[in-house]
Amino acid sequence: MGGEIWALCESKNGRVSERSLEVVGAALSLAGLKRGAKCSAVVFSDVEAAHRCGMGRAYVLHGATGEADSRGRLLAEAIEEYKPDIVLASAALEGRGVCSVAAAILGTGMSADCIDLAIGNAGELISTRPALGSSVIAGIVCPVKRPQITTIRPGSFEPVRVTEVETEVVEFSGTRTFVGAEVIGRREINKDGPDLARSRIIIAGGMGLASAAAFDRIRELARVLHAGVAASRAAVNAGYATYDMQVGLSGKSVRPDVYIALGISGAAQHIVGIRQAKKVIAVNTDSKAPIFNYADVGIVAGWQEYTGELMKLVQEGTRKG
Ligand SMILES: Cc1cc2nc3c(=O)[nH]c(=O)nc-3n(C[C@H](O)[C@H](O)[C@H](O)COP(=O)(O)OP(=O)(O)OC[C@H]3O[C@@H](n4cnc5c(N)ncnc54)[C@H](O)[C@@H]3O)c2cc1C
């Protein structure tokens, strides 16, 4: 089974997370580029989820008692046993932690938070990520050590739609016990509105909104449009919005059908998070704002005016049924 491409999947109660299905999608598209490559999923403990990962084979790793530190050790053991060529994981908290521990144990490299993947002439993985504040896009290779480990920024790949796939499950139990950090509780944040990763419409606010109360106003509009609410880093730093809403280089990447940017200037670090949006509508009072160079539709206006008109149109549409 050596030489495989592994997609490390997070799971909960028998279900693979949406961002892990993006990792599965990335692994399958890489396999299409790499001659003879086979893909498998890897999950921790959850046999039920292994059957729902959309892959022909899934490894279920048993024996990790805690979080990233013990899971990373177990993953390293499984890698030593099965020798995959490439290991992909989500660049969310679990993937980052588990892969960096495994990479350190195995003495191989890890490319973190990548937005694109390709295969080079010698069959090597080329992982692409923005660097130096997005001023350059770097292609990273791990030429000698194996496996090549890469974490993928959520929102960068299309998630696989899991249909009925017959999955061969290979169970693996670690032999080295290690009790690391344990989770003693979890608290969910951003329960308000749809998850940004899944939102077909996203309304995002920047410093032009000038207050947290203004974000409450765009939340009302978002509710009517079934949209997610996002923010620029400057708006998060100012305390108008929370970090889980931040889009961009140091926040989330999103791929909605429509991204409405209100009072956002369009810094490169913000744009990098909306590269996969199908249409961008920008509303800004400054006709020279850089966001207008990127947007599909640009409106020179105050955000209040624009959202007021949009709300009226939606309400009229709802009344007419
Ligand atoms: C390493 C690094 C990582 C970063 N990561 C991120 C990131 O993940 N995400 C991110 O967003 N940024 C990130 N940044 C910051 C980024 O460079 C910008 O500073 C930030 O995006 C600016 O946010 P903004 O557009 O809301 O604010 P500003 O640049 O201040 O723009 C505000 C805009 O609002 C307009 N405006 C004012 N009043 C109104 C009104 N009434 N109606 C409509 N428009 C109005 C103004 O004309 C202006 O264009 C990062 C920077 C660095 C160095």
Side-chain angles (χ1 to χ4, degrees):
M1 297 182 207
E4 285 183 325
I5 301 172
W6 278 9
L8 184 65
C9 295
E10 300 164 1
S11 72
K12 195 172 169 191
N13 305 329
R15 302 202 81 83
V16 175
S17 73
E18 184 76 4
R19 56 185 177 231
S20 296
L21 293 176
E22 292 173 15
V23 177
V24 171
L28 290 171
S29 57
L30 257 195
L33 302 173
K34 195 168 158 59
R35 210 150 34 98
K38 291 211 162 55
C39 294
S40 295
V42 178
V43 289
F44 289 101
S45 309
D46 196 337
V47 177
E48 202 184 335
H51 284 283
R52 292 188 182 156
C53 61
M55 291 275 208
R57 181 187 296 129
Y59 296 87
V60 181
L61 312 188
H62 297 284
T65 49
E67 285 296 294
D69 41 9
S70 66
R71 289 185 167 199
R73 282 170 165 80
L74 180 58
L75 177 65
E77 229 184 306
I79 289 172
E80 283 170 342
E81 174 76 17
Y82 298 108
K83 306 201 173 1
D85 189 35
I86 294 174
V87 178
L88 304 177
S90 168
L93 206 56
E94 172 164 323
R96 282 174 194 243
V98 171
C99 286
S100 49
V101 171
I105 291 170
L106 298 165
T108 188
M110 188 188 98
S111 312
D113 212 19
C114 296
I115 56 169
D116 204 3
L117 302 172
I119 297 292
N121 292 339
E124 78 282 17
L125 174 65
I126 305 172
S127 305
T128 304
R129 59 154 300 159
L132 303 175
S134 288
S135 55
V136 292
I137 298 287
I140 304 168
V141 291
C142 179
V144 180
K145 297 293 181 93
R146 290 294 179 266
Q148 305 159 89
I149 304 181
T150 290
T151 65
I152 296 168
R153 176 181 276 228
S156 303
F157 284 84
E158 198 66 49
V160 143
R161 290 285 148 236
V162 178
T163 45
E164 290 300 302
V165 175
E166 192 71 24
T167 305
E168 176 203 353
V169 170
V170 180
E171 301 202 44
F172 174 82
S173 295
T175 53
R176 301 170 213 155
T177 22
F178 173 82
V179 182
E182 275 178 72
V183 175
I184 52 170
R186 286 186 194 274
R187 191 165 55 92
E188 299 253 356
I189 50 173
N190 196 19
K191 299 290 280 177
D192 190 20
D195 177 6
L196 287 183
R198 293 179 194 201
S199 301
R200 298 327 315 161
I201 305 174
I202 291 178
I203 308 180
M207 283 307 275
L209 265 65
S211 70
F215 271 88
D216 289 338
R217 276 183 62 188
I218 65 167
R219 270 190 199 92
E220 275 171 44
L221 178 63
R223 250 191 296 277
V224 188
L225 293 173
H226 306 292
V229 179
S232 70
R233 171 157 135 174
V236 171
N237 287 349
Y240 306 156
T242 50
Y243 174 67
D244 53 301
M245 296 161 69
Q246 183 177 317
V247 164
L249 180 67
S250 45
K252 292 187 169 133
S253 290
V254 291
R255 45 191 319 130
D257 293 335
V258 182
Y259 187 84
I260 305 175
L262 305 174
I264 292 178
S265 58
Q269 295 88 355
H270 188 81
I271 300 297
V272 77
I274 58 172
R275 288 179 350 139
Q276 306 290 342
K278 293 202 179 101
K279 283 270 178 281
V280 174
I281 301 174
V283 181
N284 200 302
T285 43
D286 176 5
S287 63
K288 294 197 170 57
I291 189 107
F292 289 134
N293 299 329
Y294 185 80
D296 300 285
V297 178
I299 300 167
V300 181
W303 68 270
Q304 306 91 324
E305 222 179 313
Y306 171 80
T307 52
E309 285 300 318
L310 188 55
M311 189 66 141
K312 260 196 248 160
L313 286 174
V314 174
Q315 283 166 344
E316 274 168 24
T318 317
R319 267 198 298 276
K320 284 181 191 155

